[in-house]
């Protein structure tokens, strides 16, 4: 099997049984904020235009590039669809003109024409990507790979059962706006950034250890930020507080963990994987690698090249004013009125500050989850505050964008503050601005109230699955000094009370050991943390990717 990086999470898989293009991304995303790194503008679209199969893992715009797909991808390609509970990805691909689909079932093997076997691991929590994220396993009869990209599987078994892996392609870098956009003190931002950077790489290492592939290829990030207003977000000097480490930093991290089967995998790199677990890497020229390592010079040159595209994206945004409050009352307020679980989860108000881009005044709009109304701000206490330029908000509202996370928040073109801890319901709400999405989210939260499986943690019996994203705590949990930590996202819970130390909207079901519980076979055990283990940071505000 021959695998070529086409930039970021993009792959070209070439086998005797068929060709698959995965996640081709070339157009600056999120209001022009994110750009593929390294530069992939020199890749000839004709090399990718006529695959047998097309796989788009999820709808985040650094994976789903509708402009490029519309212009360059043959509509005869068969689209491999994850088993998502909402049809948004299918609808988006159908709107672009694709008519051939393979509708897969979550974690079930599908046999494709020509002899390829695939399995798509679909994550369906409201906080997974844009309500859905996925990874792709491919078997051509002799070589098996796992394209995990941004996905964070929480269930053990399906990936491992697919067969011993020859190659594992996974994300390691940040894909988030936290903590950069928050009005935290600089010292707090640095502390949180350092933890986020470490946690992201440590999580990737955990997946590497779990799936035990012969060869590992870090990819799917980081993006780069070439707009002048966002250039400071790039990791220019291996800053330990920056949440966007590059491939070189991650390979150094793996080397320090005695992990020696990972390969540098940059845009244009090709690897040949063989049935005997061999790997031949065709690396890009050394002078290109040296240029990439001079990060500041490389990005400044790249920025000049891409500037006309970014400027065009921003210039196309609305420059006039419309009745934002009236439109939000008509569109979003009915969703709030129907969202019992969401309103209970937010349990407060969110202030949207629309910053004027003309000579007019700013506008302040309150999403009130207590009264279930959208109203003009008049001194109400608001737990969350977001501030963004009016053209961005005008575009979201006029286009009825149902996922503000997938446009505004990932763009990092906003400021935020909050009173109290992180609340996942706030961001879930802003990615669920349609009747279909809100209905699914409400049903998910209603169904997730039940607790059935348990595990042992020190001298307590606790629910086995994390209240945050249902991660298996036997796999991802550690216990130390009466605190249980889910290492998937760093959430912490007191064993004695079940109280969540990370967020105020989750609780762990827990009780002390009772007679009959002492037997080792009664419940699976959650491992104790070592001296350097446990959580070292707040949760991701977006489970990425």
């Amino acid at each position: 099997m021959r695998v070529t990086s086409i930039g970021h999470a993009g792959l070209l898989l070439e086998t005797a049984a068929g060709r698959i293009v995965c996640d081709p991304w070339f157009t600056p995303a999120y209001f022009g904020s994110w750009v593929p790194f390294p530069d992939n503008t020199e890749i000839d679209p004709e090399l990718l235009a006529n695959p047998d199969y097309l796989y788009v893992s999820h709808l985040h715009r650094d994976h789903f590039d509708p402009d490029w797909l519309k212009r360059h991808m043959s509509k005869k390609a068969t689209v491999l669809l994850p088993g998502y509970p909402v049809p948004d990805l299918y609808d988006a691909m159908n709107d672009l003109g694709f008519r051939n689909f393979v509708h897969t079932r979550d974690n079930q093997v599908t046999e494709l024409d020509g002899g390829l076997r695939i399995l798509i691991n679909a994550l369906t929590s409201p906080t997974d990507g844009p309500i859905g994220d996925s990874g792709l396993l491919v078997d051509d009869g002799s070589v098996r790979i796992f394209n995990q990209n941004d996905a964070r599987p929480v269930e053990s078994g399906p990936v491992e059962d697919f067969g011993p892996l020859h190659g594992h392609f996974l994300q390691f870098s940040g894909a988030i706006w936290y903590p950069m956009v928050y009005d935290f003190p600089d010292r707090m931002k640095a502390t949180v950034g350092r933890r986020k950077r470490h946690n992201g790489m440590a999580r990737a290492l955990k997946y590497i250890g779990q799936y035990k592939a012969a060869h590992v290829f870090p990819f799917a990030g980081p993006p780069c930020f070439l707009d002048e207003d966002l250039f400071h977000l790039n990791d220019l000097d291996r800053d330990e507080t920056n949440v966007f480490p590059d491939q070189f930093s991650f390979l150094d991290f793996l080397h320090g963990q005695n992990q020696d089967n990972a390969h540098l995998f940059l845009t244009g790199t090709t690897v040949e994987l063989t049935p005997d677990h061999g790997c031949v890497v065709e690396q890009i020229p050394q002078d290109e690698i040296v240029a990439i390592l001079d990060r500041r010079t490389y990005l400044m040159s790249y920025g000049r090249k891409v500037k006309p595209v970014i400027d065009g994206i921003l210039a196309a945004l609305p420059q006039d004013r419309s009745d934002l409050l009236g439109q939000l009352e008509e569109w979003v307020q009915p969703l709030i009125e129907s969202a019992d679980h969401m309103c209970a989860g937010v349990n407060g108000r969110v202030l949207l500050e629309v910053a004027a881009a003309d000579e007019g005044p700013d506008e302040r709009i309150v999403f009130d989850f207590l009264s279930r109304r959208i109203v003009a701000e008049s001194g109400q206490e608001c737990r969350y505050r977001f501030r963004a330029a009016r053209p961005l908000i005008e575009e979201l509202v006029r286009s009825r964008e149902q996922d503000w996370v997938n446009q505004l928040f990932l763009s990092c073109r906003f400021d935020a503050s909050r009173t109290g801890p992180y609340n996942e319901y706030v961001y879930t709400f802003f990615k669920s601005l349609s009747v279909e999405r809100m209905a699914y989210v409400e049903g998910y939260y209603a169904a997730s109230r039940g607790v059935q499986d348990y595990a042992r943690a020190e001298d307590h019996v606790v629910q086995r699955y994390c209240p945050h994203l249902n991660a298996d705590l036997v796999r991802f949990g550690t216990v130390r000094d009466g605190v249980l930590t889910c290492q998937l996202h760093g959430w912490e819970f007191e064993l004695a009370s079940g109280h969540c130390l990370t967020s105020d909207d989750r609780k762990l079901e827990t009780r002390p050991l009772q007679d009959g519980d002492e037997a080792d076979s009664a419940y699976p055990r959650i491992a104790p943390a070592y001296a350097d283990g446990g959580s070292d940071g707040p949760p991701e505000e977006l489970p990425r990717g």
Side-chain angles (χ1 to χ4, degrees):
M1 187 182 297
R2 185 176 176 87
V3 185
T4 302
S5 169
I6 59 175
H8 199 64
L11 297 176
L12 171 61
L13 309 181
E14 298 176 279
T15 80
R19 299 169 76 245
I20 306 176
V21 169
C22 305
D23 287 344
W25 172 44
F26 295 88
T27 307
Y30 313 123
F31 296 125
S33 297
W34 287 36
V35 182
F37 172 82
D39 183 1
N40 67 349
T41 59
E42 300 302 320
I43 292 178
D44 183 357
E46 288 300 315
L47 297 175
L48 310 174
N50 295 285
D52 298 287
Y53 301 99
L54 170 64
Y55 168 67
V56 174
S57 59
H58 59 297
L59 280 172
H60 276 149
R61 287 303 180 92
D62 56 317
H63 298 257
F64 171 62
D65 186 343
D67 296 333
W68 190 91
L69 291 173
K70 185 175 183 178
R71 292 197 309 271
H72 299 295
M73 180 60 65
S74 169
K75 305 310 178 288
K76 295 180 181 180
T78 298
V79 178
L80 306 176
L81 279 176
Y84 289 144
V86 291
D88 295 345
L89 179 56
Y90 169 81
D91 291 343
M93 300 300 288
N94 190 65
D95 288 345
L96 290 173
F98 294 95
R99 297 294 182 263
N100 304 314
F101 295 91
V102 173
H103 295 263
T104 66
R105 292 174 178 260
D106 181 32
N107 286 327
Q108 293 188 21
V109 172
T110 299
E111 302 277 352
L112 301 178
D113 294 340
L116 287 175
R117 295 171 64 249
I118 67 166
L119 181 148
I120 296 181
N121 176 264
L123 308 179
T124 58
S125 160
T127 49
D128 288 319
I131 308 188
D133 206 340
S134 71
L136 171 70
L137 289 135
V138 178
D139 179 358
D140 69 353
S142 59
V143 170
R144 290 168 295 278
I145 69 160
F146 182 25
N147 170 10
Q148 185 178 344
N149 66 85
D150 300 355
R152 297 178 186 173
V154 296
E155 181 181 1
S156 61
V159 176
E160 295 90 334
D161 293 344
F162 192 77
L165 295 174
H166 297 75
H168 183 188
F169 300 78
L170 83 164
Q171 183 198 54
F172 60 93
S173 189
I176 191 64
W177 53 84
Y178 178 81
M180 300 85 71
V181 304
Y182 277 89
D183 62 348
F184 297 154
D186 290 344
R187 183 175 179 181
M188 180 177 177
K189 281 188 178 182
T191 299
V192 172
R194 184 176 291 106
R195 290 171 175 171
K196 298 288 284 183
R197 182 183 180 100
H198 172 79
N199 281 350
M201 294 193 288
R203 179 172 52 244
L205 176 63
K206 193 173 185 70
Y207 281 121
I208 291 171
Q210 177 179 347
Y211 298 130
K212 299 179 173 59
H215 301 278
V216 173
F217 304 93
F219 84 138
C224 60
F225 303 87
L226 302 182
D227 190 355
E228 291 181 3
D229 293 339
L230 301 171
F231 195 81
H232 64 282
L233 297 178
N234 295 297
D235 184 13
L236 300 174
D237 304 300
R238 295 203 175 192
D239 180 358
E240 289 299 317
T241 69
N242 188 289
V243 303
F244 299 111
D246 64 14
Q247 295 91 331
F248 303 96
S249 296
F250 183 58
L251 290 172
D252 286 346
F253 169 81
L254 292 181
H255 180 73
Q257 302 293 321
N258 297 316
Q259 190 79 33
D260 58 1
N261 64 335
H263 305 271
L264 182 64
F265 192 64
L266 300 170
T267 301
T269 301
T270 294
V271 298
E272 188 87 26
L273 297 169
T274 58
D276 60 358
H277 296 286
C279 175
V280 177
V281 178
E282 299 175 18
Q283 195 53 267
I284 63 175
Q286 184 64 28
D287 60 339
E288 293 184 23
I289 296 176
V290 171
I292 292 169
L293 285 168
D294 183 2
R295 185 60 45 81
R296 186 180 299 274
T297 302
Y298 181 84
L299 293 183
M300 290 180 68
S301 175
Y302 190 11
R304 289 190 292 270
K305 182 178 182 180
V306 179
K307 187 178 189 301
V309 179
I310 296 174
D311 289 348
I313 291 171
L314 297 176
L317 297 174
Q319 301 301 315
D320 59 327
R321 286 174 172 255
S322 66
D323 179 12
L324 290 178
L325 178 58
Q327 293 179 82
L328 289 169
E329 286 177 320
E330 176 188 355
W331 165 37
V332 179
Q333 185 166 297
L335 299 176
I336 298 179
E337 293 171 350
S338 71
D340 295 340
H341 294 281
M342 196 74 73
C343 289
V346 176
N347 192 32
R349 303 180 186 90
V350 176
L351 173 63
L352 175 64
E353 294 185 355
V354 185
D358 53 19
E359 299 301 322
D362 292 353
E363 187 170 358
R364 296 162 64 87
I365 299 171
V366 173
F367 294 73
D368 191 333
F369 293 88
L370 301 176
S371 69
R372 304 197 182 194
R373 293 290 183 267
I374 297 178
V375 298
E377 190 271 337
S378 58
Q380 303 96 319
E381 180 182 355
C382 297
R383 294 176 58 189
Y384 262 78
R385 178 195 67 86
F386 300 120
R387 180 178 178 83
R390 189 172 194 103
L392 305 181
I393 305 301
E394 289 280 0
E395 175 66 19
L396 296 173
V397 174
R398 296 187 195 190
S399 65
R400 295 298 191 261
E401 173 58 56
Q402 64 183 2
D403 187 350
W404 289 22
V405 170
N406 198 14
Q407 282 283 49
L408 176 63
F409 296 135
L410 280 170
S411 77
C412 297
R413 295 184 185 274
F414 74 106
D415 298 317
S417 63
R418 70 189 188 210
T419 301
Y422 165 67
N423 185 317
E424 78 170 40
Y425 287 94
V426 171
Y427 289 102
T428 300
F429 173 80
F430 281 107
K431 68 165 68 171
S432 308
L433 300 181
S434 71
V435 173
E436 293 79 10
R437 285 195 174 201
M438 192 62 71
Y440 170 71
V441 168
E442 284 291 301
Y444 181 92
Y445 284 130
S448 64
R449 291 174 127 183
V451 176
Q452 297 179 344
D453 296 327
Y454 296 86
R456 177 173 174 176
E458 291 185 345
D459 56 355
H460 283 73
V461 173
V462 302
Q463 68 184 76
R464 177 166 175 168
Y465 295 95
C466 179
H468 175 221
L469 288 182
N470 293 320
D472 187 346
L473 294 172
V474 173
R475 289 176 54 214
F476 290 98
T478 59
V479 184
R480 186 180 184 187
D481 298 333
V483 174
L484 187 154
T485 299
C486 178
Q487 293 187 324
L488 190 65
H489 295 104
W491 285 51
E492 298 179 333
F493 303 86
E494 287 182 345
L495 285 180
S497 65
H499 174 67
C500 181
L501 302 176
T502 308
S503 174
D504 62 355
D505 60 359
R506 286 290 183 272
K507 184 177 176 65
L508 184 79
E509 183 173 321
T510 179
R511 64 171 173 79
L513 282 171
Q514 300 172 354
D515 292 341
D517 288 335
E518 291 293 338
D520 286 345
S521 61
Y523 300 103
R525 288 177 178 262
I526 298 173
Y530 296 101
D532 60 349
S535 169
D536 68 348
E540 293 277 3
E541 294 201 351
L542 183 75
R544 274 279 300 160

